[in-house]
Structures are given as C-alpha cells and as structure tokens.
Amino acid sequence: MKKITFFFRSSMVWHRNDTILAFSSMKVVVLSAGTGSRLWPHTSDRPKSMVKFIGRPLIDYQLGVFQECGLDEISIVVGHCSESVIAPNCDLIYNPQFLTTNMVVSLLRAEKVFDGRHDVIVSYGDIVFEQHIIRSLLDSDGAVSVVIDVNWYDYWSARMSDLFSDIESLVLSDDRTQILEIGGKVEDLSKVKGQYIGLIKFRKDIARQLPTLWRELQQMETYNNRSIDALHMTDLLTFMIENSIELTPIDTKNCWLEFDTVEDLELYERLHRSGSLSFFRVP
C-alpha cells in the first residue's frame, strides 16, 4: 500500500504503511562552546548561553520556547566553562577544541544527531527568540531553512553606529524563495535583503549529508579565506549552496535578540526597564 505521511504543526511526524506506525521527533542542537570574549566579564565563568538577561540565563529562554513547541530532544555543544551549563534533560556534548575552533567544528561534534532520521534545528547559544519563529521553522519543508530578519536595519541601527562593521551579505532570488548568497562582506546595502539570526533547520535528508560535507571541507587547506577549523556557519551554508543544496529564507521582523557584546546586554536591559524593548517580547 502507498505510504502515507501526516504533518502536524508541531515537531511531530507520523509515518504509516501496511505494517508499522513509527514516531519521529525533530531534534535540536544549541551551539554554546565559545568563550564569548566580547561579553567579558559576564563570560569569565560561564558561556554566553548562561549569561543572565532580566534575571534568567539565555538558555532558559531558548529551552522554554523549544519545549512549548514540543521539542524535547535537545543537545548542547559546550566548551568554555562547560561545568556551569545548567540545562535539565539536555544532552551536553563537549568540544575539547573550543579555544581553537569555531561554529562548524562545534556543530559536527554533534554528528550523532545527524543520522538522517530526524530534521534538526540548530541555534546559536547567544540569542533569544519568540515562539512564532520556531513555529515558522517547523512549518517549512525546505532542504535548509534559514531564519533571516528582514527588518534588520532598525535593529542594527539601535545597536551600533557603523552598520558596515557587522552586517553580512544576504542575496535572495527574485521570487524570494531561495538564498543565493550569505555571509559575505558588504559594501553596498543592495546586497543585504535581511540578516541571518543564528537559527537553521536541516531537513533530515540534508542533515544526513552534513558529516560528508564536513569531510569534504576538511580536505581543503582553507575555504572562504578562513582555515577549516575557523569556519563560520555562513561558510558552511555557502558551501551547501555551491553543492546545489537550496537554502530557504524564513522571514521574521525582529522578535529576537543577539547578545554579542556588553553593550548589547546593557542596551537591552535599559530598554526593558524603560518599557521600550520592541525587538523581543520578554515572556
């Protein structure tokens, strides 16, 4: 008999054929291994994911949203001050090379998650986001779904005086259904149709390919003018584009925060106290 698949709005997917009824849940990987040097001294004894915002560690906000969306299989890649990470019912995966490597190496430390049986959401550990962003990711059936902030200009302008010091290129197809370029240097705002926020979903068939793609990258001395161990997540996404893997943009208009610097944390706390923190609704 023909296989029938039912998709629910939550993370749950049921597959039914003649003889079996199998349940598969989406998995989550949070990347929280780095030293967070630009948030020092808040990160002197903890990673950025454990820095407190309005009295709660950033990871608490993330775990709360994931759990509200039915996502409870969560792995956290740790490194710097790993013993300080408090995340009940999560699998902690240690990256012993956290001082000399970047995001992609940390991601592949969670290789066991990319078994081809589950879609996988990957989140940076230094962001917080509203629930509807994760719902939009769950609703997407793209090969690689990448959350971008299309209202980025207002947010970046509130955080920094020199936009070009931080923004990266993000070029979309004419119909806005594909990301054609991501993570490059920017000299012209015409190449910035949004900003990647640090949230991705890999469909299970693509998740299965990640270890292979990583081994291909490891055969190179450098990629995108960076050493392989220092690759950013946008470098991996660029490599996927070059390998004909489509990246689907998932739009948001703010509704998230990035905690990259001490100035970020102080700005958000100040805006919250004044009741004008419009970029993120504090739960």
Side-chain angles (χ1 to χ4, degrees):
M1 181 179 291
K2 181 180 179 181
K3 181 176 178 179
I4 304 172
T5 305
F6 298 93
F7 293 94
F8 294 86
R9 183 172 175 81
S10 72
S11 64
M12 302 180 182
V13 181
W14 292 85
H15 301 285
R16 186 175 70 184
N17 60 25
D18 284 342
T19 57
I20 62 171
L21 184 64
F23 172 78
S24 174
S25 64
M26 191 172 303
K27 294 192 175 183
V28 175
V29 176
V30 178
L31 303 178
S32 180
T35 59
S37 58
R38 291 197 286 183
L39 260 175
W40 197 270
H42 300 281
T43 51
S44 61
D45 60 351
R46 67 195 68 191
K48 286 199 285 186
S49 63
M50 289 300 298
V51 171
K52 289 187 177 181
F53 170 55
I54 316 177
R56 295 171 56 193
L58 301 184
I59 194 66
D60 279 9
Y61 291 96
Q62 288 202 19
L63 296 181
V65 168
F66 289 137
Q67 290 162 2
E68 288 168 0
C69 293
L71 301 166
D72 56 11
E73 293 192 58
I74 301 170
S75 299
I76 304 176
V77 183
V78 297
H80 171 64
C81 294
S82 58
E83 70 284 351
S84 73
V85 176
I86 301 174
N89 303 314
C90 295
D91 180 25
L92 302 187
I93 301 172
Y94 185 63
N95 174 9
Q97 299 172 299
F98 69 89
L99 286 174
T100 58
T101 59
N102 212 320
M103 288 285 193
V104 178
V105 173
S106 285
L107 176 68
L108 270 297
R109 282 287 170 183
E111 181 173 347
K112 65 182 181 181
V113 174
F114 306 113
D115 56 12
R117 294 182 295 177
H118 313 85
D119 293 353
V120 181
I121 289 177
V122 176
S123 174
Y124 291 179
D126 64 349
I127 60 175
V128 295
F129 37 81
E130 295 181 16
Q131 184 184 135
H132 71 87
I133 296 179
I134 298 301
R135 293 289 183 190
S136 295
L137 269 185
L138 295 176
D139 286 343
S140 173
D141 61 358
V144 181
S145 302
V146 181
V147 179
I148 66 171
D149 189 346
V150 296
N151 198 36
W152 68 273
Y153 188 88
D154 291 344
Y155 180 30
W156 259 251
S157 296
R159 297 171 61 199
M160 56 196 70
S161 57
D162 180 12
L163 295 181
F164 287 95
S165 67
D166 187 76
I167 59 174
E168 298 177 325
S169 67
L170 198 146
V171 179
L172 303 177
S173 59
D174 290 341
D175 62 0
R176 299 186 60 87
T177 61
Q178 291 185 50
I179 296 173
L180 305 180
E181 179 185 325
I182 188 169
K185 292 183 178 179
V186 173
E187 297 179 356
D188 183 348
L189 290 183
S190 67
K191 295 189 71 175
V192 185
K193 301 304 181 184
Q195 285 294 280
Y196 163 57
I197 79 167
L199 265 174
I200 315 168
K201 186 183 79 173
F202 296 106
R203 199 173 60 202
K204 61 183 179 181
D205 57 314
I206 303 301
R208 185 176 58 244
Q209 297 180 42
L210 286 176
T212 300
L213 291 169
W214 174 233
R215 286 189 287 272
E216 291 177 12
L217 282 166
Q218 287 179 304
Q219 300 304 308
M220 307 178 189
E221 292 185 5
T222 63
Y223 180 74
N224 266 6
N225 297 315
R226 273 187 273 270
S227 70
I228 299 306
D229 282 350
L231 291 183
H232 297 180
M233 192 64 65
T234 51
D235 296 321
L236 175 61
L237 294 175
T238 297
F239 190 63
M240 299 178 90
I241 292 172
E242 292 178 355
N243 281 270
S244 301
I245 297 174
E246 292 187 359
L247 273 55
T248 300
I250 304 298
D251 293 355
T252 185
K253 293 183 177 179
N254 303 139
C255 302
W256 69 289
L257 297 174
E258 177 187 27
F259 293 77
D260 191 39
T261 65
V262 172
E263 290 76 18
D264 282 340
L265 180 60
E266 291 175 349
L267 171 65
Y268 306 150
E269 295 272 9
R270 186 167 64 250
L271 290 174
H272 177 69
R273 287 194 299 270
S274 68
S276 55
L277 185 62
S278 60
F279 304 108
F280 172 71
R281 185 178 63 252
V282 178

